Amino acid sequence: MKKSNLALATAVSGLLILAGTAPAVAAEGGAKEKCYGVAKAGKNDCATKTGSCAGTAKQDGQKDAFIMVPKGLCDRLNGGSTQSS
């Protein structure tokens, strides 16, 4: 395949992928919520009771560490809670 055809095919594929994800993002409305108890160690989004900044969670599923998730998802995650413990 010629380089120009390959570039065109890649660009069209990328646009199709983006078009497929746009309705999901639009339906969600971009609303986010804090989800406690599901962050991996060192992957939390903000300060905890025991750490002063993001990325300071000492263990997986730390109850006072949160990550931001799409609104409504936290309740469906194993161990997830919208309230800090």
Side-chain angles (χ1 to χ4, degrees):
M1 188 183 281
K2 291 182 179 180
K3 287 184 180 180
S4 61
N5 288 344
L6 181 60
L8 180 60
T10 302
V12 170
S13 297
L15 289 174
L16 290 174
I17 290 169
L18 288 175
T21 59
V25 172
E28 183 180 302
K32 301 275 187 183
E33 66 184 351
K34 293 179 181 180
C35 188
Y36 295 89
V38 296
K40 295 289 183 185
K43 301 292 182 182
N44 58 306
D45 282 343
C46 201
T48 67
K49 292 177 185 175
T50 58
S52 62
C53 58
T56 58
K58 303 280 188 242
Q59 62 187 12
D60 291 351
Q62 188 171 318
K63 296 297 181 190
D64 65 337
F66 72 87
I67 56 171
M68 297 300 289
V69 297
K71 193 157 185 76
L73 176 64
C74 187
D75 293 331
R76 298 185 307 211
L77 296 175
N78 187 24
S81 173
T82 56
Q83 301 291 321
S84 176
S85 299

